[in-house]
Amino acid sequence: METKLSDKKAIFQEWMKTLQVGGQVILNNGAIIDIQEHGGYCITYEGATDTDGTSCACGFDQDILFEALLTDWDAFS
Protein backbone atom coordinates (compact mmCIF):
# COMPACT_ATOMS: atom_id res chain seq x y z
CA MET A 1 0.00 0.00 0.00
CA GLU A 2 1.37 3.37 -1.01
CA THR A 3 1.78 6.09 1.62
CA LYS A 4 -0.43 9.13 0.96
CA LEU A 5 1.25 12.49 0.38
CA SER A 6 -0.45 13.93 3.47
CA ASP A 7 1.01 11.11 5.58
CA LYS A 8 4.46 11.68 4.08
CA LYS A 9 4.21 15.37 4.96
CA ALA A 10 3.25 14.48 8.55
CA ILE A 11 6.19 12.08 8.83
CA PHE A 12 8.50 14.71 7.38
CA GLN A 13 7.31 17.28 9.93
CA GLU A 14 8.12 14.81 12.74
CA TRP A 15 11.62 14.40 11.27
CA MET A 16 12.01 18.18 11.25
CA LYS A 17 11.05 18.34 14.96
CA THR A 18 13.65 15.66 15.71
CA LEU A 19 16.26 17.64 13.77
CA GLN A 20 15.52 20.77 15.79
CA VAL A 21 16.02 18.85 19.05
CA GLY A 22 18.78 16.37 18.24
CA GLY A 23 20.30 17.83 15.08
CA GLN A 24 20.09 14.52 13.24
CA VAL A 25 17.63 11.93 11.93
CA ILE A 26 18.79 8.42 11.01
CA LEU A 27 16.49 6.74 8.49
CA ASN A 28 15.78 3.03 8.01
CA ASN A 29 18.07 2.76 4.98
CA GLY A 30 21.05 4.17 6.90
CA ALA A 31 20.77 7.67 5.45
CA ILE A 32 21.32 10.50 7.90
CA ILE A 33 19.71 13.94 7.71
CA ASP A 34 21.70 16.64 9.51
CA ILE A 35 21.25 20.35 10.10
CA GLN A 36 24.28 22.16 8.68
CA GLU A 37 26.04 24.78 10.81
CA HIS A 38 25.74 27.46 8.12
CA GLY A 39 22.08 26.66 7.44
CA GLY A 40 20.24 24.12 5.40
CA TYR A 41 20.16 20.35 5.58
CA CYS A 42 22.44 17.54 4.46
CA ILE A 43 21.62 13.94 3.51
CA THR A 44 24.50 11.52 4.01
CA TYR A 45 24.40 7.89 2.97
CA GLU A 46 27.17 5.39 3.65
CA GLY A 47 27.15 2.44 1.28
CA ALA A 48 26.52 -1.11 2.38
CA THR A 49 30.01 -2.24 1.40
CA ASP A 50 33.45 -0.74 1.93
CA THR A 51 33.74 0.02 -1.78
CA ASP A 52 30.51 2.03 -1.93
CA GLY A 53 31.92 4.91 0.07
CA THR A 54 29.89 7.80 1.39
CA SER A 55 27.78 10.22 -0.59
CA CYS A 56 26.50 13.51 0.73
CA ALA A 57 24.12 16.09 -0.72
CA CYS A 58 24.21 19.38 1.16
CA GLY A 59 22.63 22.79 1.11
CA PHE A 60 18.99 21.74 0.93
CA ASP A 61 16.32 24.01 2.32
CA GLN A 62 13.30 22.29 3.89
CA ASP A 63 11.23 22.27 0.68
CA ILE A 64 14.04 20.85 -1.46
CA LEU A 65 14.82 18.25 1.21
CA PHE A 66 11.19 17.08 1.18
CA GLU A 67 11.16 16.90 -2.63
CA ALA A 68 14.40 14.90 -2.58
CA LEU A 69 12.94 12.43 -0.10
CA LEU A 70 9.68 12.15 -2.07
CA THR A 71 11.64 11.09 -5.15
CA ASP A 72 12.47 7.77 -3.51
CA TRP A 73 10.32 7.71 -0.38
CA ASP A 74 10.32 3.92 0.04
CA ALA A 75 14.11 3.86 0.20
CA PHE A 76 14.28 6.54 2.92
CA SER A 77 11.29 5.94 5.18
Side-chain angles (χ1 to χ4, degrees):
M1 187 167 92
E2 189 171 323
T3 307
K4 294 186 295 186
L5 181 61
S6 60
D7 293 338
K8 291 176 183 178
K9 287 182 179 178
I11 292 167
F12 182 72
Q13 290 303 320
E14 287 302 312
W15 289 346
M16 291 297 101
K17 290 177 190 174
T18 301
L19 280 170
Q20 295 304 322
V21 172
Q24 185 177 80
V25 173
I26 301 173
L27 305 177
N28 288 342
N29 71 346
I32 300 169
I33 303 174
D34 289 298
I35 295 178
Q36 295 177 279
E37 286 183 27
H38 60 278
Y41 301 94
C42 176
I43 300 175
T44 305
Y45 182 76
E46 187 170 341
T49 67
D50 292 339
T51 58
D52 285 343
T54 301
S55 61
C56 186
C58 296
F60 293 132
D61 65 22
Q62 191 168 344
D63 292 335
I64 293 172
L65 177 61
F66 183 57
E67 290 299 319
L69 293 170
L70 279 180
T71 301
D72 196 5
W73 184 265
D74 291 335
F76 287 108
S77 58

